[in-house]
Amino acid sequence: MIKLLERSTQLYDLRQFPRKQSLLWDVLCSSFKKPSSSSVALHLGAKIHGVRFQSDWLKAYQQVCGFEPSNQIPLTAPQVVAVPLHLFLFSRKAHPFSMLGMVHTANQFQLHQPLQLNQDYTVVVLIGETRTVTKGCEWDVHTEWYDAQNTLVWGSTMTVFSRIPGMTAALPSAPVEKIGSTLNTRVAGYLGLQVSPHQGYCYAQVSGDFNPIHLHHLTAKMFGFNAPIAHGMWTAAACLGKLEQTTQQHACSLEVVFKKPVVLSSQAVVKYETMQSHAQFELMSLQESRILVSGACTFL
């Protein structure tokens, strides 16, 4: 048995990805969930065999995120392919948090072996630990890809936040390590990033993530945002795409922390510093000169 799934309290062994229409309905139905400060996400797991990267999807993903067209599968792509499994687990009755208004706060990615087109993989997902934080709760979601020999080829840990009405100050919880630091302005490089007003919808079409906080002003305001914000996974991929094009290298690991929302219809700049096979970066808002995302990556 795959080691990650040994921690699951309930395992769903799926024959195919859930249908998009069914998942959208599940997203809406999850709005009736009423979590509290004591809510804890159960260790639900899901597994699916025979997953392949489709060339047409890969081209669409590379285009919307700004990667150069090629057969090279971007480091962030496996996470996006696994989105239906994430949504499936989030929509289970045993999961106490609503999917509407969930916010992606951090992610770590690690490539262990090169990924290939037209090759079958097994994808597993597990909901991990829950922590109480300011204004809500956050939990980890672990995703892993295995080849036909059950060898781990790619893995990630995503951290998700859910706002809970009535919560203000954080309750005691285990400390969570956050990465990122101010870069040396004298040696840093700068890369412009334009966030279009339709970026949320365009990325949702490719990723299948139609969280309403990314799509329209009215639906974003329902969940405490003054304007629609970009998907965290699009933001991470767009930053990585800029760095890979500039360095002409492909990343094998990436860590990102989403510090502030990236608002649609805005301009930002990727401030970066390279050190041999490593790079640190910060995505900064041009309008307010503040750090929106911090991260680090390692190149092959």
Side-chain angles (χ1 to χ4, degrees), residues 34-52:
K34 303 298 181 184
S36 68
S37 59
S38 61
S39 295
V40 175
L42 300 181
H43 298 314
L44 303 180
K47 177 175 64 172
I48 185 170
H49 300 284
V51 179
R52 289 189 173 200

Side-chain angles (χ1 to χ4, degrees), residues 268-288:
V269 62
V270 180
K271 179 181 178 182
Y272 70 97
E273 184 177 343
T274 57
M275 300 146 284
Q276 296 180 345
S277 62
H278 303 273
Q280 288 185 290
F281 65 91
E282 296 167 344
L283 182 66
M284 305 183 67
S285 167
L286 285 183
Q287 287 88 340
E288 300 177 357

Side-chain angles (χ1 to χ4, degrees), residues 49-286:
H49 300 284
V51 179
R52 289 189 173 200
F53 292 99
Q54 302 296 328
S55 58
D56 289 345
W57 180 88
L58 179 61
K59 291 177 183 177
Y61 178 74
Q62 290 170 333
Q63 182 176 13
V64 77
C65 295
F67 290 103
E68 291 185 344
S70 73
N71 286 333
Q72 180 83 27
I73 296 170
L75 178 62
T76 50
Q79 181 84 5
V80 183
V81 174
V83 162
L85 293 184
H86 302 152
L87 298 181
F88 174 81
L89 291 181
F90 294 162
S91 67
R92 299 306 91 191
K93 289 183 179 181
H95 185 70
F97 303 101
S98 170
M99 285 190 281
L100 291 174
M102 281 185 182
V103 180
H104 190 177
T105 60
N107 224 125
Q108 299 177 349
F109 311 86
Q110 182 68 53
L111 178 68
H112 299 282
Q113 292 187 15
L115 294 162
Q116 306 292 336
L117 284 172
N118 303 318
Q119 181 171 324
D120 288 341
Y121 293 97
T122 296
V123 181
V124 300
V125 174
L126 178 76
I127 296 178
E129 302 303 319
T130 304
R131 296 175 291 272
T132 302
V133 296
T134 301
K135 296 184 179 181
C137 292
E138 68 177 15
W139 63 93
D140 296 327
V141 182
H142 306 285
T143 306
E144 294 181 346
W145 285 58
Y146 292 83
D147 64 14
Q149 289 73 44
N150 264 359
T151 300
L152 176 65
V153 295
W154 182 95
S156 77
T157 298
M158 171 177 67
T159 302
V160 181
F161 167 79
S162 181
R163 189 186 301 271
I164 298 178
M167 285 188 63
T168 53
L171 299 177
S173 63
V176 181
E177 183 179 357
K178 299 294 184 182
I179 64 170
S181 60
T182 302
L183 304 180
N184 188 336
T185 302
R186 289 182 292 180
V187 299
Y190 296 85
L191 304 166
L193 180 64
Q194 180 70 42
V195 187
S196 79
H198 307 296
Q199 190 63 64
Y201 180 75
C202 292
Y203 184 76
Q205 289 288 96
V206 175
S207 68
D209 182 354
F210 286 87
N211 189 324
I213 63 175
H214 306 303
L215 303 179
H216 195 274
H217 282 78
L218 293 178
T219 52
K221 286 183 178 180
M222 291 172 60
F223 299 98
F225 297 95
N226 294 325
I229 63 175
H231 292 75
M233 280 302 301
W234 176 83
T235 304
C239 291
L240 184 61
K242 291 283 185 182
L243 291 171
E244 288 190 345
Q245 287 189 37
T246 299
T247 62
Q248 289 297 296
Q249 300 180 82
H250 295 290
C252 59
S253 72
L254 172 67
E255 300 181 17
V256 288
V257 173
F258 305 104
K259 297 178 177 292
K260 298 289 183 182
V262 178
V263 180
L264 302 190
S265 254
S266 65
Q267 291 183 318
V269 62
V270 180
K271 179 181 178 182
Y272 70 97
E273 184 177 343
T274 57
M275 300 146 284
Q276 296 180 345
S277 62
H278 303 273
Q280 288 185 290
F281 65 91
E282 296 167 344
L283 182 66
M284 305 183 67
S285 167
L286 285 183

